[in-house]
Amino acid sequence: KAGVTQTPRYLIKTRGQQVTLSCSPISGHRSVSWYQQTPGQGLQFLFEYFSETQRNKGNFPGRFSGRQFSNSRSEMNVSTLELGDSALYLCASSLGGGLDKNIQYFGAGTRLSVL
Amino acid sequence: GESVGLHLPTLSVQEGDNSIINCAYSNSASDYFIWYKQESGKGPQFIIDIRSNMDKRQGQRVTVLLNKTVKHLSLQIAATQPGDSAVYFCAEKGAGKSTFGDGTTLTVKP
C-alpha cells in the first residue's frame, strides 16, 4: 500500500506570494492533518480534515487554509507569504472517525523557503 | 494550553547500549501518547503508543513507560543500533491532532 505522498518536495517563493501544497493520503484513510515544522517551534498543528470538513484547527492566522476533496486528497494554501513561513510542512493521514486514536502516518513533507 | 516537552535535546550513546529518552506533559486529561522517530529528510514515523490506562508497553526493542502521577513518559531502546540515530518526539494525541514535544536527537556512536 502506498504511503502518504506530498508534492512538491521543495518550493521557493518570495514574500507576498501564495503557495498551494498537496497531500495524497494512504488509500482508505479519511482524516488528513497538516503540521508545520520549524527548528524553533517544533511540530505545530495547523488543521485536520475529515470527510471534506475541517474538524480541528490550530493557532495559525487566516492566511493558512486548507481543503479536502471527496477522494480524501487534501491541499493547504498559504497566502501573502512571510519569511517566517519558511518551514517543512507535513501531512499525516489516519483512518479517523470515532475517538480518533488512530495512528497518524506522515508524508516526507514539503520544504518551503520564502525569500 | 497543553504542552509536551522532552528533558534533553540531545542524547549520545554507544552502539549496543540501552537508550532512555524522556518526556513530560502538562495536560493531565491526556489519555493517549505516541512516540515518533524522524530521520533526516523524512516525516515522523510511528514507533509505539500507550493509553493512559497502561503504565508500560513493549514493542520490538522498545518500551514505553507512562507515569501519570508525575505526567512523565519515557522511551527505552534496547541494544541501540546506528540505525536508531534520529530525532525522537513524544506526542499527546487528542481528537484529530497530535501535540508534539520538541524532540530529542539521538546519536549512536559505533
Side-chain angles (χ1 to χ4, degrees), chain A residues 5 7 20-26 28-34 47-54 65-77 91 93:
Chain A
T5 303
T7 56
T20 299
L21 312 181
S22 180
C23 173
S24 292
I26 291 172
H29 284 192
R30 296 166 64 191
S31 169
V32 173
S33 298
W34 289 89
F47 29 66
E48 185 228 1
Y49 286 86
F50 180 79
S51 294
E52 302 178 66
T53 301
Q54 188 180 86
S65 63
R67 59 178 176 169
Q68 187 181 32
F69 303 95
S70 58
N71 61 358
S72 293
R73 190 177 70 85
S74 177
E75 290 181 346
M76 69 162 279
N77 183 276
C91 166
S93 77

Side-chain angles (χ1 to χ4, degrees), chain B residues 3 10 18 20-21 33 45 56 67-69 74 78 103 106-107:
Chain B
S3 67
T10 61
N18 297 332
I20 299 176
I21 302 172
F33 304 89
Q45 177 186 5
K56 180 179 180 179
N67 185 331
K68 294 182 290 294
T69 303
S74 66
L106 175 66
T107 302

Side-chain angles (χ1 to χ4, degrees), chain B residues 4-27:
Chain B
V4 181
L6 290 167
H7 293 307
L8 291 175
T10 61
L11 177 66
S12 182
V13 300
Q14 207 69 37
E15 181 179 357
D17 286 352
N18 297 332
S19 304
I20 299 176
I21 302 172
N22 295 304
C23 180
Y25 63 95
S26 63
N27 185 0

Side-chain angles (χ1 to χ4, degrees), chain B residues 75-94:
Chain B
L75 177 71
Q76 300 178 1
I77 304 173
T80 314
Q81 302 169 359
D84 295 327
S85 293
V87 180
Y88 289 81
F89 296 93
C90 63
E92 175 267 329
K93 183 90 178 345

Side-chain angles (χ1 to χ4, degrees), chain B:
Chain B
E2 62 214 28
S3 67
V4 181
L6 290 167
H7 293 307
L8 291 175
T10 61
L11 177 66
S12 182
V13 300
Q14 207 69 37
E15 181 179 357
D17 286 352
N18 297 332
S19 304
I20 299 176
I21 302 172
N22 295 304
C23 180
Y25 63 95
S26 63
N27 185 0
S28 57
S30 299
D31 61 357
Y32 183 52
F33 304 89
I34 314 106
W35 280 99
Y36 288 94
K37 171 187 179 182
Q38 187 173 21
E39 296 174 284
S40 181
K42 299 182 180 180
Q45 177 186 5
F46 171 87
I47 301 173
I48 192 168
D49 59 356
I50 188 168
R51 300 187 191 280
S52 62
N53 60 354
M54 304 169 70
D55 53 19
K56 180 179 180 179
R57 190 164 188 215
Q58 288 184 290
Q60 190 172 23
R61 282 201 308 119
V62 294
T63 300
V64 56
L65 299 177
L66 175 62
N67 185 331
K68 294 182 290 294
T69 303
V70 295
K71 292 186 282 188
H72 177 273
L73 68 159
S74 66
L75 177 71
Q76 300 178 1
I77 304 173
T80 314
Q81 302 169 359
D84 295 327
S85 293
V87 180
Y88 289 81
F89 296 93
C90 63
E92 175 267 329
K93 183 90 178 345
K97 72 169 187 175
S98 295
T99 302
F100 285 80
D102 294 332
T104 289
T105 300
L106 175 66
T107 302
V108 182
K109 297 176 290 186

